[in-house]
Amino acid sequence: MSKTLTATWWCLAWSRVTGRPLHPEAKPGDREPQVPLAEGPVLYFNQVPEPKRTKNRIHLCSRPETSREQEVERLLGLGATLVADRRNPDGSGWAVLADLEGNELCVLRSESDRAVMND
């Protein structure tokens, strides 16, 4: 799978978090596209020959501005898959999703979700 496609997916998925697009010089098929953040690190998508086989070495979690449920549905609509549903009947918990290549991320409760529970 094209790393540019994966990087583009993360830009769409995390635009509310990072507010950043792909590097302006990124082109379809690039082996090492980047998403430069405003300050600090760069999200770097390196093409490797083997598929993902084990857990991520780094794990990103999202605390959305919308509700957790809305964010899960939005990411699923972008092509994410639900890996594990850790949401509890009382509203606590999180959802584990995977991007197009199986890299996992969690969607936590939003601040408004937490406020309803007085957390």
Side-chain angles (χ1 to χ4, degrees):
M1 174 169 294
S2 162
K3 286 299 161 186
T4 306
L5 180 60
T6 303
T8 300
W9 186 91
W10 279 89
C11 284
L12 291 171
W14 287 70
S15 63
R16 292 183 190 142
V17 176
T18 67
R20 308 296 295 184
L22 276 172
H23 190 280
E25 295 177 11
K27 296 177 278 318
D30 280 355
R31 295 179 52 86
E32 300 174 345
Q34 301 175 23
V35 178
L37 302 180
E39 295 179 21
V42 170
L43 296 179
Y44 177 79
F45 298 87
N46 186 26
Q47 190 164 346
V48 295
E50 69 279 346
K52 180 182 174 300
R53 297 186 199 281
T54 60
K55 280 188 111 169
N56 300 353
R57 291 183 186 187
I58 190 166
H59 183 87
L60 300 175
C61 292
S62 170
R63 187 173 306 280
E65 291 181 13
T66 62
S67 74
R68 176 186 59 208
E69 308 321 314
Q70 289 172 311
E71 185 66 358
V72 167
E73 290 305 313
R74 187 181 76 82
L75 293 172
L76 291 172
L78 289 172
T81 55
L82 183 64
V83 174
D85 193 343
R86 305 284 188 230
R87 295 173 284 188
N88 299 311
D90 70 356
S92 63
W94 61 93
V96 182
L97 303 176
D99 72 5
L100 305 174
E101 293 188 336
N103 299 300
E104 296 177 8
L105 61 139
C106 288
V107 180
L108 308 175
R109 292 178 297 152
S110 67
E111 289 301 325
S112 60
D113 291 335
R114 292 170 55 100
V116 170
M117 294 183 66
N118 296 318
D119 277 356

